[in-house]
Amino acid sequence: MFNFRDCAPGDGAQRIASLIPRLTVLQDMRKDAPLARLFATASAIHAGDTLGALSCYHALCASLLSSGARRVSGDLWLDYLLFLVLERPHAFAAMAAAGRMDEAERSAMRADLAILGELATLSGAHLYRMAAERHRELQLKPRHAKDNISLMSSAVWAGGSVRPAPAANAKPAQEPDAPAPLLSAMPPESEWLSWHYGEMELRDSYVSDEALEEVVIRLLETPDWRALCDDLWNFFAAYGCAPFLKDRLFHVKQNVFLPFSPRAGQYCTLPCYEPQRSALLSHAIRFMRGETAEPVLLAGPAGTGKTALALNLAEELPELRLVLLPRGAAFDADAVLDALKAQPLRFLLLLDDADLSAAETRALFARRAAFDFPENVLPVATARTAEGDFGSMKTIRFAYPKIAEFAEMVEALLAQRGVEAGHAAVRNACVDYQVDARDCLSVSAAVRVAEELAAVV
């Protein structure tokens, strides 16, 4: 493996420039990607453009900071290389997630891992040393070639022949001299932004962290990343690929899965809907075990917590991913289902406030009717009525709570906030709300009453 620590500046720059274009599976094609910035930095060092190298290096640092790579290794450059391997849905990861093995793809991945493993030994200090030594080389190099008079004078003082060489035997024209460095002196290394920022640790939370941490540690401790190619295949085959390695809850926008984070504690379990929660949870567990794929319809009036109950499953079943399709959302049913089918995970596909007349909804259930629905996807629809031709579905019905049940909901919400208001005070507030608002006793109404009580207790 090439040693960037002690190499000559030109050799190091040439090695970097020779590695980056050879990437295939793990290539980052963005024009402002760190790989492109590193290539530009190496080119400037090789050309003797000290100021250009300084500028390109800090553009590289800016690109590393904004690359979206997870802060995990304690080094910006290593974070980015780990991002290329683990956090992007590249062809090798998608192949493994689908449970396929293509030897050509595997060979390309092994070659790319060898390149990234070598680039992982590079540091900002190495680039600074290359630029500083190249700068000194140019300062010591004569700026102009000597003419015949100068050559003859030097020969006389050295005791050699004073006859200039015939023109026919003259040496080939010299290469043009490199321009004099614009900077008279290299800035000190302390003015080059360091890539190191701490020690290796998981600074945020991914749903697959238990396995991801082991993979990251092995990459950081293994000199030749090619040796981990099969381990990476096994990882993606078991846990899927991005974006499902990081989040549990997604919504779809133009067939792209985007994560969303509900407000903490927004979906708590409410006592009056415990039978519905138990029924839905039991059905989801059977789905996770592969015992059923029967769709579920949550039917009931608006504000009875149907959507909240479904979203709460993502918290109760950590291995389940949930994809939300709100009413009116435009999506390609085939594209969404095929993307989920290509993952080794299990998904709850939530059609919120489902409209059977919508083309997208009809396309989803048409695939199910044709026995072409992915086995790892459980459709769950919410609707205000159980009427309509949804096909064979397990129906769980909801209704507005009575005043006593409504008070229990408010008490549960207050307990979640750590507030004790007293049963009598809660019941009086619920009765006042029913009299004043003259509205249905919905979940959103219970949240409002709980917030008002929490503010005065």
Side-chain angles (χ1 to χ4, degrees), residues 118-151:
E118 187 168 330
L119 288 175
T121 65
L122 181 67
S123 70
H126 295 154
L127 290 176
Y128 173 81
R129 181 190 59 79
M130 293 180 202
E133 290 185 6
R134 183 65 171 144
H135 184 81
R136 286 193 294 270
E137 287 177 1
L138 295 176
Q139 285 186 319
L140 296 174
K141 185 176 180 180
R143 306 314 313 160
H144 302 287
K146 294 183 179 180
D147 55 22
N148 277 343
I149 300 297
S150 299
L151 291 171

PDB file of all heavy atoms in Angstrom, residues 118-151:
ATOM      1  N   GLU A 118      -6.980   2.614   0.820  1.00  0.00           N
ATOM      2  CA  GLU A 118      -5.712   3.336   0.674  1.00  0.00           C
ATOM      3  C   GLU A 118      -5.898   4.827   0.928  1.00  0.00           C
ATOM      4  O   GLU A 118      -5.093   5.464   1.607  1.00  0.00           O
ATOM      5  CB  GLU A 118      -5.151   3.109  -0.732  1.00  0.00           C
ATOM      6  CG  GLU A 118      -3.760   3.678  -0.936  1.00  0.00           C
ATOM      7  CD  GLU A 118      -3.118   3.191  -2.225  1.00  0.00           C
ATOM      8  OE1 GLU A 118      -3.424   2.053  -2.652  1.00  0.00           O
ATOM      9  OE2 GLU A 118      -2.311   3.948  -2.791  1.00  0.00           O
ATOM     10  N   LEU A 119      -6.990   5.397   0.401  1.00  0.00           N
ATOM     11  CA  LEU A 119      -7.262   6.820   0.641  1.00  0.00           C
ATOM     12  C   LEU A 119      -7.554   7.092   2.117  1.00  0.00           C
ATOM     13  O   LEU A 119      -7.373   8.219   2.583  1.00  0.00           O
ATOM     14  CB  LEU A 119      -8.441   7.282  -0.216  1.00  0.00           C
ATOM     15  CG  LEU A 119      -8.179   7.413  -1.724  1.00  0.00           C
ATOM     16  CD1 LEU A 119      -9.466   7.746  -2.457  1.00  0.00           C
ATOM     17  CD2 LEU A 119      -7.117   8.481  -2.005  1.00  0.00           C
ATOM     18  N   ALA A 120      -7.998   6.057   2.854  1.00  0.00           N
ATOM     19  CA  ALA A 120      -8.283   6.241   4.272  1.00  0.00           C
ATOM     20  C   ALA A 120      -7.012   6.515   5.073  1.00  0.00           C
ATOM     21  O   ALA A 120      -7.081   7.021   6.196  1.00  0.00           O
ATOM     22  CB  ALA A 120      -8.995   5.007   4.832  1.00  0.00           C
ATOM     23  N   THR A 121      -5.839   6.200   4.513  1.00  0.00           N
ATOM     24  CA  THR A 121      -4.578   6.481   5.205  1.00  0.00           C
ATOM     25  C   THR A 121      -4.113   7.907   4.984  1.00  0.00           C
ATOM     26  O   THR A 121      -3.118   8.339   5.574  1.00  0.00           O
ATOM     27  CB  THR A 121      -3.479   5.508   4.726  1.00  0.00           C
ATOM     28  OG1 THR A 121      -3.204   5.740   3.333  1.00  0.00           O
ATOM     29  CG2 THR A 121      -3.923   4.066   4.908  1.00  0.00           C
ATOM     30  N   LEU A 122      -4.812   8.647   4.121  1.00  0.00           N
ATOM     31  CA  LEU A 122      -4.451  10.040   3.846  1.00  0.00           C
ATOM     32  C   LEU A 122      -5.005  10.950   4.931  1.00  0.00           C
ATOM     33  O   LEU A 122      -6.086  10.716   5.469  1.00  0.00           O
ATOM     34  CB  LEU A 122      -5.021  10.449   2.489  1.00  0.00           C
ATOM     35  CG  LEU A 122      -4.734  11.862   1.984  1.00  0.00           C
ATOM     36  CD1 LEU A 122      -3.251  12.023   1.674  1.00  0.00           C
ATOM     37  CD2 LEU A 122      -5.582  12.171   0.752  1.00  0.00           C
ATOM     38  N   SER A 123      -4.259  11.991   5.255  1.00  0.00           N
ATOM     39  CA  SER A 123      -4.723  12.976   6.235  1.00  0.00           C
ATOM     40  C   SER A 123      -4.440  14.384   5.721  1.00  0.00           C
ATOM     41  O   SER A 123      -3.674  14.577   4.776  1.00  0.00           O
ATOM     42  CB  SER A 123      -4.023  12.770   7.585  1.00  0.00           C
ATOM     43  OG  SER A 123      -2.659  13.142   7.497  1.00  0.00           O
ATOM     44  N   GLY A 124      -5.061  15.347   6.359  1.00  0.00           N
ATOM     45  CA  GLY A 124      -4.796  16.728   5.997  1.00  0.00           C
ATOM     46  C   GLY A 124      -3.347  17.107   6.217  1.00  0.00           C
ATOM     47  O   GLY A 124      -2.775  17.916   5.465  1.00  0.00           O
ATOM     48  N   ALA A 125      -2.704  16.525   7.245  1.00  0.00           N
ATOM     49  CA  ALA A 125      -1.291  16.799   7.509  1.00  0.00           C
ATOM     50  C   ALA A 125      -0.413  16.319   6.351  1.00  0.00           C
ATOM     51  O   ALA A 125       0.590  16.959   6.014  1.00  0.00           O
ATOM     52  CB  ALA A 125      -0.860  16.131   8.812  1.00  0.00           C
ATOM     53  N   HIS A 126      -0.781  15.198   5.731  1.00  0.00           N
ATOM     54  CA  HIS A 126      -0.021  14.703   4.582  1.00  0.00           C
ATOM     55  C   HIS A 126      -0.109  15.684   3.416  1.00  0.00           C
ATOM     56  O   HIS A 126       0.887  15.956   2.744  1.00  0.00           O
ATOM     57  CB  HIS A 126      -0.555  13.335   4.153  1.00  0.00           C
ATOM     58  CG  HIS A 126      -0.367  12.274   5.175  1.00  0.00           C
ATOM     59  ND1 HIS A 126      -1.188  11.167   5.254  1.00  0.00           N
ATOM     60  CD2 HIS A 126       0.530  12.140   6.188  1.00  0.00           C
ATOM     61  CE1 HIS A 126      -0.789  10.393   6.250  1.00  0.00           C
ATOM     62  NE2 HIS A 126       0.250  10.973   6.836  1.00  0.00           N
ATOM     63  N   LEU A 127      -1.296  16.204   3.166  1.00  0.00           N
ATOM     64  CA  LEU A 127      -1.450  17.159   2.068  1.00  0.00           C
ATOM     65  C   LEU A 127      -0.665  18.443   2.346  1.00  0.00           C
ATOM     66  O   LEU A 127      -0.064  19.018   1.434  1.00  0.00           O
ATOM     67  CB  LEU A 127      -2.931  17.484   1.863  1.00  0.00           C
ATOM     68  CG  LEU A 127      -3.792  16.363   1.284  1.00  0.00           C
ATOM     69  CD1 LEU A 127      -5.255  16.796   1.220  1.00  0.00           C
ATOM     70  CD2 LEU A 127      -3.312  15.967  -0.105  1.00  0.00           C
ATOM     71  N   TYR A 128      -0.656  18.873   3.600  1.00  0.00           N
ATOM     72  CA  TYR A 128       0.112  20.063   3.943  1.00  0.00           C
ATOM     73  C   TYR A 128       1.606  19.831   3.700  1.00  0.00           C
ATOM     74  O   TYR A 128       2.293  20.679   3.133  1.00  0.00           O
ATOM     75  CB  TYR A 128      -0.109  20.457   5.399  1.00  0.00           C
ATOM     76  CG  TYR A 128       0.805  21.594   5.827  1.00  0.00           C
ATOM     77  CD1 TYR A 128       0.480  22.910   5.522  1.00  0.00           C
ATOM     78  CD2 TYR A 128       2.001  21.354   6.494  1.00  0.00           C
ATOM     79  CE1 TYR A 128       1.321  23.963   5.879  1.00  0.00           C
ATOM     80  CE2 TYR A 128       2.843  22.395   6.855  1.00  0.00           C
ATOM     81  CZ  TYR A 128       2.500  23.687   6.545  1.00  0.00           C
ATOM     82  OH  TYR A 128       3.344  24.720   6.883  1.00  0.00           O
ATOM     83  N   ARG A 129       2.103  18.670   4.121  1.00  0.00           N
ATOM     84  CA  ARG A 129       3.529  18.390   3.929  1.00  0.00           C
ATOM     85  C   ARG A 129       3.877  18.364   2.438  1.00  0.00           C
ATOM     86  O   ARG A 129       4.890  18.922   2.021  1.00  0.00           O
ATOM     87  CB  ARG A 129       3.880  17.044   4.563  1.00  0.00           C
ATOM     88  CG  ARG A 129       5.357  16.672   4.438  1.00  0.00           C
ATOM     89  CD  ARG A 129       5.612  15.239   4.849  1.00  0.00           C
ATOM     90  NE  ARG A 129       4.866  14.285   4.047  1.00  0.00           N
ATOM     91  CZ  ARG A 129       5.236  13.908   2.819  1.00  0.00           C
ATOM     92  NH1 ARG A 129       6.325  14.424   2.261  1.00  0.00           N
ATOM     93  NH2 ARG A 129       4.516  13.040   2.150  1.00  0.00           N
ATOM     94  N   MET A 130       3.024  17.750   1.622  1.00  0.00           N
ATOM     95  CA  MET A 130       3.283  17.710   0.182  1.00  0.00           C
ATOM     96  C   MET A 130       3.331  19.124  -0.405  1.00  0.00           C
ATOM     97  O   MET A 130       4.225  19.459  -1.185  1.00  0.00           O
ATOM     98  CB  MET A 130       2.185  16.907  -0.524  1.00  0.00           C
ATOM     99  CG  MET A 130       2.160  15.441  -0.212  1.00  0.00           C
ATOM    100  SD  MET A 130       0.798  14.646  -1.136  1.00  0.00           S
ATOM    101  CE  MET A 130       0.558  13.180  -0.135  1.00  0.00           C
ATOM    102  N   ALA A 131       2.361  19.957  -0.022  1.00  0.00           N
ATOM    103  CA  ALA A 131       2.316  21.319  -0.551  1.00  0.00           C
ATOM    104  C   ALA A 131       3.526  22.124  -0.079  1.00  0.00           C
ATOM    105  O   ALA A 131       4.124  22.887  -0.857  1.00  0.00           O
ATOM    106  CB  ALA A 131       1.015  22.001  -0.118  1.00  0.00           C
ATOM    107  N   ALA A 132       3.916  21.977   1.207  1.00  0.00           N
ATOM    108  CA  ALA A 132       5.052  22.736   1.737  1.00  0.00           C
ATOM    109  C   ALA A 132       6.359  22.306   1.063  1.00  0.00           C
ATOM    110  O   ALA A 132       7.192  23.153   0.701  1.00  0.00           O
ATOM    111  CB  ALA A 132       5.141  22.534   3.251  1.00  0.00           C
ATOM    112  N   GLU A 133       6.569  21.004   0.879  1.00  0.00           N
ATOM    113  CA  GLU A 133       7.799  20.540   0.242  1.00  0.00           C
ATOM    114  C   GLU A 133       7.834  20.934  -1.225  1.00  0.00           C
ATOM    115  O   GLU A 133       8.893  21.276  -1.756  1.00  0.00           O
ATOM    116  CB  GLU A 133       7.911  19.019   0.391  1.00  0.00           C
ATOM    117  CG  GLU A 133       8.181  18.579   1.823  1.00  0.00           C
ATOM    118  CD  GLU A 133       8.410  17.081   1.928  1.00  0.00           C
ATOM    119  OE1 GLU A 133       8.460  16.416   0.858  1.00  0.00           O
ATOM    120  OE2 GLU A 133       8.536  16.571   3.056  1.00  0.00           O
ATOM    121  N   ARG A 134       6.699  20.874  -1.898  1.00  0.00           N
ATOM    122  CA  ARG A 134       6.650  21.315  -3.295  1.00  0.00           C
ATOM    123  C   ARG A 134       6.957  22.797  -3.395  1.00  0.00           C
ATOM    124  O   ARG A 134       7.645  23.249  -4.325  1.00  0.00           O
ATOM    125  CB  ARG A 134       5.262  21.018  -3.863  1.00  0.00           C
ATOM    126  CG  ARG A 134       5.097  21.351  -5.334  1.00  0.00           C
ATOM    127  CD  ARG A 134       5.975  20.490  -6.187  1.00  0.00           C
ATOM    128  NE  ARG A 134       5.670  20.665  -7.595  1.00  0.00           N
ATOM    129  CZ  ARG A 134       6.576  20.637  -8.563  1.00  0.00           C
ATOM    130  NH1 ARG A 134       7.863  20.447  -8.275  1.00  0.00           N
ATOM    131  NH2 ARG A 134       6.214  20.786  -9.819  1.00  0.00           N
ATOM    132  N   HIS A 135       6.496  23.567  -2.439  1.00  0.00           N
ATOM    133  CA  HIS A 135       6.770  25.007  -2.412  1.00  0.00           C
ATOM    134  C   HIS A 135       8.281  25.254  -2.270  1.00  0.00           C
ATOM    135  O   HIS A 135       8.847  26.108  -2.969  1.00  0.00           O
ATOM    136  CB  HIS A 135       6.005  25.643  -1.244  1.00  0.00           C
ATOM    137  CG  HIS A 135       6.133  27.132  -1.163  1.00  0.00           C
ATOM    138  ND1 HIS A 135       5.375  27.984  -1.928  1.00  0.00           N
ATOM    139  CD2 HIS A 135       6.956  27.932  -0.415  1.00  0.00           C
ATOM    140  CE1 HIS A 135       5.697  29.231  -1.649  1.00  0.00           C
ATOM    141  NE2 HIS A 135       6.655  29.227  -0.734  1.00  0.00           N
ATOM    142  N   ARG A 136       8.931  24.509  -1.380  1.00  0.00           N
ATOM    143  CA  ARG A 136      10.382  24.678  -1.201  1.00  0.00           C
ATOM    144  C   ARG A 136      11.140  24.243  -2.454  1.00  0.00           C
ATOM    145  O   ARG A 136      12.137  24.876  -2.831  1.00  0.00           O
ATOM    146  CB  ARG A 136      10.851  23.871   0.011  1.00  0.00           C
ATOM    147  CG  ARG A 136      10.467  24.487   1.344  1.00  0.00           C
ATOM    148  CD  ARG A 136      11.219  23.835   2.507  1.00  0.00           C
ATOM    149  NE  ARG A 136      10.820  22.442   2.687  1.00  0.00           N
ATOM    150  CZ  ARG A 136       9.828  22.057   3.456  1.00  0.00           C
ATOM    151  NH1 ARG A 136       9.120  22.962   4.130  1.00  0.00           N
ATOM    152  NH2 ARG A 136       9.522  20.775   3.590  1.00  0.00           N
ATOM    153  N   GLU A 137      10.683  23.196  -3.106  1.00  0.00           N
ATOM    154  CA  GLU A 137      11.338  22.762  -4.342  1.00  0.00           C
ATOM    155  C   GLU A 137      11.340  23.869  -5.383  1.00  0.00           C
ATOM    156  O   GLU A 137      12.350  24.124  -6.052  1.00  0.00           O
ATOM    157  CB  GLU A 137      10.630  21.529  -4.904  1.00  0.00           C
ATOM    158  CG  GLU A 137      10.865  20.243  -4.137  1.00  0.00           C
ATOM    159  CD  GLU A 137      10.069  19.094  -4.728  1.00  0.00           C
ATOM    160  OE1 GLU A 137       9.354  19.330  -5.743  1.00  0.00           O
ATOM    161  OE2 GLU A 137      10.142  17.979  -4.184  1.00  0.00           O
ATOM    162  N   LEU A 138      10.219  24.536  -5.526  1.00  0.00           N
ATOM    163  CA  LEU A 138      10.118  25.590  -6.539  1.00  0.00           C
ATOM    164  C   LEU A 138      10.950  26.808  -6.166  1.00  0.00           C
ATOM    165  O   LEU A 138      11.484  27.495  -7.044  1.00  0.00           O
ATOM    166  CB  LEU A 138       8.647  25.991  -6.729  1.00  0.00           C
ATOM    167  CG  LEU A 138       7.738  24.896  -7.310  1.00  0.00           C
ATOM    168  CD1 LEU A 138       6.297  25.371  -7.356  1.00  0.00           C
ATOM    169  CD2 LEU A 138       8.205  24.516  -8.710  1.00  0.00           C
ATOM    170  N   GLN A 139      11.059  27.102  -4.872  1.00  0.00           N
ATOM    171  CA  GLN A 139      11.880  28.236  -4.466  1.00  0.00           C
ATOM    172  C   GLN A 139      13.366  27.994  -4.712  1.00  0.00           C
ATOM    173  O   GLN A 139      14.112  28.926  -5.030  1.00  0.00           O
ATOM    174  CB  GLN A 139      11.644  28.534  -2.983  1.00  0.00           C
ATOM    175  CG  GLN A 139      10.312  29.213  -2.699  1.00  0.00           C
ATOM    176  CD  GLN A 139      10.176  29.623  -1.249  1.00  0.00           C
ATOM    177  OE1 GLN A 139      10.573  28.877  -0.357  1.00  0.00           O
ATOM    178  NE2 GLN A 139       9.614  30.798  -1.013  1.00  0.00           N
ATOM    179  N   LEU A 140      13.806  26.730  -4.582  1.00  0.00           N
ATOM    180  CA  LEU A 140      15.216  26.408  -4.782  1.00  0.00           C
ATOM    181  C   LEU A 140      15.564  26.173  -6.236  1.00  0.00           C
ATOM    182  O   LEU A 140      16.740  26.190  -6.604  1.00  0.00           O
ATOM    183  CB  LEU A 140      15.580  25.150  -3.957  1.00  0.00           C
ATOM    184  CG  LEU A 140      15.463  25.301  -2.441  1.00  0.00           C
ATOM    185  CD1 LEU A 140      15.713  23.960  -1.757  1.00  0.00           C
ATOM    186  CD2 LEU A 140      16.446  26.350  -1.934  1.00  0.00           C
ATOM    187  N   LYS A 141      14.589  25.948  -7.088  1.00  0.00           N
ATOM    188  CA  LYS A 141      14.844  25.657  -8.487  1.00  0.00           C
ATOM    189  C   LYS A 141      15.206  26.925  -9.240  1.00  0.00           C
ATOM    190  O   LYS A 141      14.564  27.958  -9.071  1.00  0.00           O
ATOM    191  CB  LYS A 141      13.596  25.030  -9.106  1.00  0.00           C
ATOM    192  CG  LYS A 141      13.782  24.571 -10.544  1.00  0.00           C
ATOM    193  CD  LYS A 141      12.525  23.884 -11.038  1.00  0.00           C
ATOM    194  CE  LYS A 141      12.715  23.417 -12.480  1.00  0.00           C
ATOM    195  NZ  LYS A 141      11.490  22.739 -12.984  1.00  0.00           N
ATOM    196  N   PRO A 142      16.283  26.900 -10.102  1.00  0.00           N
ATOM    197  CA  PRO A 142      16.623  28.083 -10.903  1.00  0.00           C
ATOM    198  C   PRO A 142      15.438  28.484 -11.761  1.00  0.00           C
ATOM    199  O   PRO A 142      14.744  27.636 -12.334  1.00  0.00           O
ATOM    200  CB  PRO A 142      17.795  27.609 -11.759  1.00  0.00           C
ATOM    201  CG  PRO A 142      18.362  26.451 -11.037  1.00  0.00           C
ATOM    202  CD  PRO A 142      17.220  25.789 -10.351  1.00  0.00           C
ATOM    203  N   ARG A 143      15.235  29.757 -11.845  1.00  0.00           N
ATOM    204  CA  ARG A 143      14.070  30.255 -12.573  1.00  0.00           C
ATOM    205  C   ARG A 143      14.294  30.326 -14.067  1.00  0.00           C
ATOM    206  O   ARG A 143      13.349  30.343 -14.836  1.00  0.00           O
ATOM    207  CB  ARG A 143      13.670  31.647 -12.070  1.00  0.00           C
ATOM    208  CG  ARG A 143      13.443  31.757 -10.591  1.00  0.00           C
ATOM    209  CD  ARG A 143      12.611  30.657  -9.984  1.00  0.00           C
ATOM    210  NE  ARG A 143      11.396  30.383 -10.732  1.00  0.00           N
ATOM    211  CZ  ARG A 143      10.727  29.279 -10.633  1.00  0.00           C
ATOM    212  NH1 ARG A 143      11.158  28.312  -9.859  1.00  0.00           N
ATOM    213  NH2 ARG A 143       9.630  29.081 -11.335  1.00  0.00           N
ATOM    214  N   HIS A 144      15.591  30.468 -14.573  1.00  0.00           N
ATOM    215  CA  HIS A 144      15.858  30.637 -16.000  1.00  0.00           C
ATOM    216  C   HIS A 144      16.992  29.718 -16.423  1.00  0.00           C
ATOM    217  O   HIS A 144      17.957  29.507 -15.692  1.00  0.00           O
ATOM    218  CB  HIS A 144      16.246  32.090 -16.331  1.00  0.00           C
ATOM    219  CG  HIS A 144      15.189  33.085 -15.919  1.00  0.00           C
ATOM    220  ND1 HIS A 144      13.995  33.229 -16.587  1.00  0.00           N
ATOM    221  CD2 HIS A 144      15.159  33.959 -14.884  1.00  0.00           C
ATOM    222  CE1 HIS A 144      13.270  34.175 -15.986  1.00  0.00           C
ATOM    223  NE2 HIS A 144      13.969  34.637 -14.953  1.00  0.00           N
ATOM    224  N   ALA A 145      16.896  29.171 -17.624  1.00  0.00           N
ATOM    225  CA  ALA A 145      17.970  28.342 -18.162  1.00  0.00           C
ATOM    226  C   ALA A 145      19.150  29.226 -18.573  1.00  0.00           C
ATOM    227  O   ALA A 145      18.978  30.372 -18.998  1.00  0.00           O
ATOM    228  CB  ALA A 145      17.460  27.558 -19.368  1.00  0.00           C
ATOM    229  N   LYS A 146      20.381  28.717 -18.447  1.00  0.00           N
ATOM    230  CA  LYS A 146      21.582  29.494 -18.796  1.00  0.00           C
ATOM    231  C   LYS A 146      21.778  29.492 -20.306  1.00  0.00           C
ATOM    232  O   LYS A 146      21.523  28.499 -20.976  1.00  0.00           O
ATOM    233  CB  LYS A 146      22.803  28.883 -18.114  1.00  0.00           C
ATOM    234  CG  LYS A 146      22.774  28.992 -16.600  1.00  0.00           C
ATOM    235  CD  LYS A 146      24.047  28.434 -16.007  1.00  0.00           C
ATOM    236  CE  LYS A 146      24.036  28.576 -14.485  1.00  0.00           C
ATOM    237  NZ  LYS A 146      25.266  28.037 -13.882  1.00  0.00           N
ATOM    238  N   ASP A 147      22.254  30.646 -20.839  1.00  0.00           N
ATOM    239  CA  ASP A 147      22.585  30.707 -22.265  1.00  0.00           C
ATOM    240  C   ASP A 147      24.017  30.212 -22.469  1.00  0.00           C
ATOM    241  O   ASP A 147      24.694  29.807 -21.538  1.00  0.00           O
ATOM    242  CB  ASP A 147      22.412  32.148 -22.784  1.00  0.00           C
ATOM    243  CG  ASP A 147      23.228  33.144 -21.973  1.00  0.00           C
ATOM    244  OD1 ASP A 147      24.207  32.736 -21.313  1.00  0.00           O
ATOM    245  OD2 ASP A 147      22.886  34.339 -22.012  1.00  0.00           O
ATOM    246  N   ASN A 148      24.526  30.250 -23.726  1.00  0.00           N
ATOM    247  CA  ASN A 148      25.851  29.733 -24.042  1.00  0.00           C
ATOM    248  C   ASN A 148      26.955  30.497 -23.319  1.00  0.00           C
ATOM    249  O   ASN A 148      27.946  29.910 -22.873  1.00  0.00           O
ATOM    250  CB  ASN A 148      26.091  29.793 -25.552  1.00  0.00           C
ATOM    251  CG  ASN A 148      25.484  28.580 -26.255  1.00  0.00           C
ATOM    252  OD1 ASN A 148      25.180  27.592 -25.621  1.00  0.00           O
ATOM    253  ND2 ASN A 148      25.289  28.696 -27.563  1.00  0.00           N
ATOM    254  N   ILE A 149      26.836  31.816 -23.191  1.00  0.00           N
ATOM    255  CA  ILE A 149      27.865  32.630 -22.519  1.00  0.00           C
ATOM    256  C   ILE A 149      27.984  32.197 -21.065  1.00  0.00           C
ATOM    257  O   ILE A 149      29.079  32.007 -20.524  1.00  0.00           O
ATOM    258  CB  ILE A 149      27.544  34.133 -22.610  1.00  0.00           C
ATOM    259  CG1 ILE A 149      27.465  34.572 -24.080  1.00  0.00           C
ATOM    260  CG2 ILE A 149      28.574  34.950 -21.846  1.00  0.00           C
ATOM    261  CD1 ILE A 149      28.780  34.406 -24.819  1.00  0.00           C
ATOM    262  N   SER A 150      26.824  32.002 -20.428  1.00  0.00           N
ATOM    263  CA  SER A 150      26.843  31.590 -19.028  1.00  0.00           C
ATOM    264  C   SER A 150      27.450  30.204 -18.885  1.00  0.00           C
ATOM    265  O   SER A 150      28.215  29.931 -17.958  1.00  0.00           O
ATOM    266  CB  SER A 150      25.419  31.593 -18.454  1.00  0.00           C
ATOM    267  OG  SER A 150      24.868  32.893 -18.524  1.00  0.00           O
ATOM    268  N   LEU A 151      27.105  29.317 -19.815  1.00  0.00           N
ATOM    269  CA  LEU A 151      27.657  27.973 -19.753  1.00  0.00           C
ATOM    270  C   LEU A 151      29.171  27.981 -19.924  1.00  0.00           C
ATOM    271  O   LEU A 151      29.897  27.258 -19.238  1.00  0.00           O
ATOM    272  CB  LEU A 151      27.006  27.093 -20.830  1.00  0.00           C
ATOM    273  CG  LEU A 151      25.513  26.742 -20.611  1.00  0.00           C
ATOM    274  CD1 LEU A 151      24.945  26.055 -21.846  1.00  0.00           C
ATOM    275  CD2 LEU A 151      25.356  25.849 -19.390  1.00  0.00           C
TER     276      LEU A 151
END
